[in-house]
Amino acid sequence: MTDTMYPPSSRELVEKRRALAPETEKAFQAFSHQVFADCALPAKTKQLIAVAVAHVTQCPYCIKGHTKASLRHGATRQELMEAIWVAAEMRAGGAYARTAISLTAMDEVESQSGS
């Protein structure tokens, strides 16, 4: 099946985005360049973080782009998979932690009904 919900990234789409908001596009690119530069954290680590975050935000473009960038910065497949597992645990951990909301709501309903 070649149909997809997400159109493939292309030079044409990049140019359209740039033409519609050139100054914002330029600022975003500069920001992105600075964020992923070697500083206190090396670029490889930043790209691994980006892969994990991309899995949590579920952005297919970010997953693909930052996976490739991670590999270009020397990440291994094992490092990438560990980063993805960290993301999965954190995503699941959020649902697990929020059980406190449901448990508290259950207690509130119980106490209001006198049960």
Side-chain angles (χ1 to χ4, degrees):
M1 180 176 206
T2 57
D3 269 350
T4 179
M5 179 185 294
Y6 302 100
S9 185
S10 68
R11 174 63 53 198
E12 180 185 1
L13 289 173
V14 169
E15 293 302 325
K16 283 182 183 180
R17 185 172 45 230
R18 185 175 294 131
L20 290 168
E23 291 304 311
T24 304
E25 172 76 12
K26 184 178 174 181
F28 183 78
Q29 291 302 324
F31 174 65
S32 182
H33 180 75
Q34 178 58 43
V35 165
F36 286 100
D38 280 317
C39 291
L41 291 174
K44 174 183 156 183
T45 301
K46 291 179 177 185
Q47 289 298 336
L48 287 167
I49 292 168
V51 169
V53 172
H55 278 78
V56 172
T57 62
Q58 301 177 341
C59 173
Y61 302 106
C62 297
I63 291 170
K64 185 174 182 178
H66 290 290
T67 296
K68 289 180 176 184
S70 291
L71 291 168
R72 284 193 305 271
H73 282 90
T76 66
R77 288 174 172 254
Q78 290 78 15
E79 288 172 321
L80 281 158
M81 197 65 237
E82 282 191 31
I84 294 165
W85 278 117
V86 168
E89 192 283 336
M90 293 301 294
R91 182 77 175 190
Y96 177 77
R98 284 179 175 79
T99 60
I101 297 167
S102 290
L103 292 169
T104 300
M106 289 180 227
D107 291 345
E108 289 170 357
V109 169
E110 246 179 45
S111 69
Q112 290 171 356
S113 68
S115 301

